[in-house]
Amino acid sequence: MSQATFGDDEELFGEAANEMREDVESSLADGWDALPDADDVWETDADNVLGVLNGLKTALDSGDAEDHLRDAKKWFTMGQRADAFEDADDLEEEIGDLEEAIGSISEAGEQVGDLTSTIPALRGTLEDAGPSDADDNENEADADDEDDE
């Protein structure tokens, strides 16, 4: 292999390493962009708790963020194994941050999902709790009889 060819290989490897880093950065940016907006998670226009929970459950969808994270991890891993990155600590940290954000959103979505299925049953339990309407009518009639005496 001639010296000129070796020099060209180094230049090509450097270009490939830069492109790999750009791919990781681009996938991370797309991942962050795919996460729900903070206002969508915070604000609501629902009329009741179940409406709020359903809206929140919908807002807590991380969309394509997981796919973008996977792409970032794929290119990052490839670049690391090829020893293509001079300094990749920032990429590794951002991958971890995005992964943590997606995990938090997913966990919150599961909790909201649990509440969404629990709240209607709780409402029914509370509506059925206590004396029945017939008992209430009897108690009112007894109180009226006592007033007549």
Side-chain angles (χ1 to χ4, degrees):
M1 182 183 263
S2 72
Q3 185 68 24
T5 304
F6 183 72
D8 289 343
D9 288 347
E10 285 296 313
E11 185 178 321
L12 290 173
F13 184 79
E15 283 180 34
N18 287 337
E19 288 175 12
M20 237 181 277
R21 183 176 185 86
E22 288 172 7
D23 285 343
V24 173
E25 290 171 347
S26 175
S27 292
L28 287 170
D30 291 345
W32 287 114
D33 288 344
L35 294 178
D37 288 335
D39 288 344
D40 292 342
V41 173
W42 189 253
E43 297 175 4
T44 186
D45 60 355
D47 295 330
N48 58 47
V49 172
L50 188 57
V52 169
L53 291 173
N54 282 328
L56 183 56
K57 186 175 176 186
T58 300
L60 289 172
D61 179 11
S62 58
D64 293 334
E66 290 181 39
D67 293 336
H68 295 299
L69 174 63
R70 181 173 170 74
D71 285 345
K73 288 171 98 174
K74 175 178 61 177
W75 290 114
F76 178 78
T77 301
M78 173 100 67
Q80 255 190 334
R81 288 188 182 167
D83 200 23
F85 302 132
E86 289 181 25
D87 180 23
D89 291 344
D90 61 328
L91 294 176
E92 190 169 18
E93 184 177 334
E94 189 172 354
I95 286 170
D97 291 346
L98 180 57
E99 194 167 33
E100 186 177 323
I102 291 170
S104 295
I105 291 167
S106 178
E107 184 179 326
E110 289 173 15
Q111 291 173 355
V112 170
D114 290 345
L115 281 173
T116 302
S117 63
T118 302
I119 294 297
L122 177 60
R123 181 180 183 204
T125 299
L126 293 172
E127 287 175 341
D128 294 342
S132 68
D133 289 341
D135 290 343
D136 288 345
N137 291 338
E138 243 177 66
N139 291 338
E140 287 175 21
D142 289 344
D144 288 342
D145 288 343
E146 289 175 12
D147 289 340
D148 291 342
E149 294 174 7

